Amino acid sequence: MQHILLNIKQPENKEGLIEYERFVYPDGQPNIRLKTEINRKEGVNIACRVRNPNELFDLLMVADIVNRQSYVDKLTMLYLMGGRTDRVLSFDQPFTLRIVADMVNTIKARKVEIIEPHSKRTVDLINNSIATSGTVLCSKIKDREFLIATPDKGAAERYKSDILCSKVRDAVTGELSGFKVDDVRCSLNGETIVLMDDLIDGGGTFVGIHEKLKDMNPSEIYLVVTHAIQEKGLIRVSKTFDKVLITNTFKDWQDDDEWVEGKPENLIVSEYEKEDICHGCKIQT
């Protein structure tokens, strides 16, 4: 099978990879040219990060080239913009996820794998799609009994949660308050608590929840999130939690040169390697 890694760091071993170059016309129009000839007898797997409209358009351009010569067999989306706008927040705002999903559906991929979507709505809107859960990150926690905590109802729906927490977010200012533990569905005997969610941005939610979990006297408190957006938030939670586990779905956090302040010692990055992207998206442990 042939593979295209779009907006993802290209591996040294390029066997099976279709290389491309991206350029921009003087009027600002982007374009992409494939540098490797497509075998028209085989389908093509595309793996990508879609973090912004430019990367979405890159994907659409590449899919157009592929579909005129072959077909997209599998589309793996390490990160998909619009996940947090998976509903109409108000009548003066767009339903962004549906807009993005409609464009992805024009690719007509035979299979679509979405890494840790924000909600089931993503899978409902994108044809032929399945979700891969970041709960496999917990395999990094070896030789330790742990309980899973979730920061809100949305996360509780994605994971089997032992401890359900909540917060209040001001819809206008975005300010967080009212952190609390709502439900404890098991007995605690000093185990490690693993707080899980799909995405970390500024880290305020997790720092606030940490204070409430600490009152439960666990041996340690870990944070496990799949998509890590900005360094500032990662630095913040690394100073709060005993250990933080993330992946490179949004950015190549495993590379030291991606950090301005330097990667915290208690932060572990699990990488989606080329082989995993192309043949099943299993996180390396």
Side-chain angles (χ1 to χ4, degrees), residues 82-96 118 171:
R84 285 184 283 186
T85 318
D86 57 0
R87 62 195 183 282
V88 178
L89 300 177
S90 66
F91 286 106
D92 57 356
Q93 297 185 54
F95 187 179
T96 307
H118 188 63

Side-chain angles (χ1 to χ4, degrees), residues 74-139:
K74 181 179 179 181
L75 173 61
T76 302
M77 313 195 80
L78 272 66
Y79 184 81
L80 178 63
M81 63 175 285
R84 285 184 283 186
T85 318
D86 57 0
R87 62 195 183 282
V88 178
L89 300 177
S90 66
F91 286 106
D92 57 356
Q93 297 185 54
F95 187 179
T96 307
L97 180 60
R98 187 177 65 184
I99 296 171
V100 173
D102 286 346
M103 287 189 279
V104 172
N105 286 336
T106 65
I107 296 171
K108 298 181 180 179
R110 296 188 177 184
K111 300 182 288 290
V112 180
E113 185 164 19
I114 306 165
I115 308 302
E116 198 68 64
H118 188 63
S119 70
K120 183 178 178 294
R121 196 68 184 276
T122 306
V123 176
D124 292 339
L125 290 170
I126 296 180
N127 299 335
N128 305 320
S129 66
I130 60 170
T132 296
S133 173
T135 54
V136 292
L137 271 171
C138 287
S139 64

Side-chain angles (χ1 to χ4, degrees), residues 25-245:
Y25 290 112
D27 64 355
Q29 176 187 324
N31 204 354
I32 278 181
R33 183 178 71 86
L34 299 188
K35 300 169 65 176
T36 305
E37 185 176 349
I38 291 178
N39 181 345
R40 300 186 180 214
K41 296 180 180 180
E42 294 184 354
V44 177
N45 290 341
I46 302 175
C48 62
R49 291 174 172 135
V50 175
R51 297 167 290 192
N52 52 61
N54 289 336
E55 292 183 344
L56 177 58
F57 195 64
D58 285 351
L59 172 61
L60 297 176
M61 288 191 292
V62 165
D64 176 73
I65 301 169
V66 170
N67 281 328
R68 283 186 290 106
Q69 301 186 43
S70 176
Y71 61 92
V72 178
D73 184 58
K74 181 179 179 181
L75 173 61
T76 302
M77 313 195 80
L78 272 66
Y79 184 81
L80 178 63
M81 63 175 285
R84 285 184 283 186
T85 318
D86 57 0
R87 62 195 183 282
V88 178
L89 300 177
S90 66
F91 286 106
D92 57 356
Q93 297 185 54
F95 187 179
T96 307
L97 180 60
R98 187 177 65 184
I99 296 171
V100 173
D102 286 346
M103 287 189 279
V104 172
N105 286 336
T106 65
I107 296 171
K108 298 181 180 179
R110 296 188 177 184
K111 300 182 288 290
V112 180
E113 185 164 19
I114 306 165
I115 308 302
E116 198 68 64
H118 188 63
S119 70
K120 183 178 178 294
R121 196 68 184 276
T122 306
V123 176
D124 292 339
L125 290 170
I126 296 180
N127 299 335
N128 305 320
S129 66
I130 60 170
T132 296
S133 173
T135 54
V136 292
L137 271 171
C138 287
S139 64
K140 282 284 189 180
I141 307 171
K142 302 179 185 299
D143 303 321
R144 187 174 299 272
E145 295 291 329
F146 61 87
L147 303 174
I148 294 177
T150 48
D152 51 44
K153 290 182 179 179
E157 291 176 359
R158 290 191 298 273
Y159 317 116
K160 186 178 180 181
S161 178
D162 301 300
I163 304 167
L164 178 60
C165 305
S166 66
K167 64 182 183 299
V168 176
R169 184 188 298 273
D170 188 294
V172 177
T173 66
E175 184 177 347
L176 299 170
S177 62
F179 299 101
K180 61 179 180 177
V181 174
D182 293 318
D183 188 15
V184 180
R185 301 168 179 172
C186 58
S187 59
L188 277 77
N189 297 297
E191 295 95 340
T192 294
I193 293 178
V194 176
L195 181 60
M196 290 192 64
D197 208 354
D198 64 317
L199 181 148
I200 175 172
D201 202 339
T205 292
F206 305 119
V207 171
I209 295 293
H210 179 276
E211 292 302 308
K212 300 304 178 182
L213 295 177
K214 190 167 62 174
D215 292 340
M216 303 175 74
N217 297 315
S219 58
E220 291 183 297
I221 306 176
Y222 292 178
L223 176 64
V224 171
V225 287
T226 301
H227 309 301
I229 308 303
Q230 59 167 315
E231 178 176 325
K232 181 179 179 181
L234 292 174
I235 296 294
R236 184 180 184 186
V237 296
S238 294
K239 292 177 179 178
T240 303
F241 287 81
D242 295 291
K243 189 173 290 187
V244 177
L245 292 84

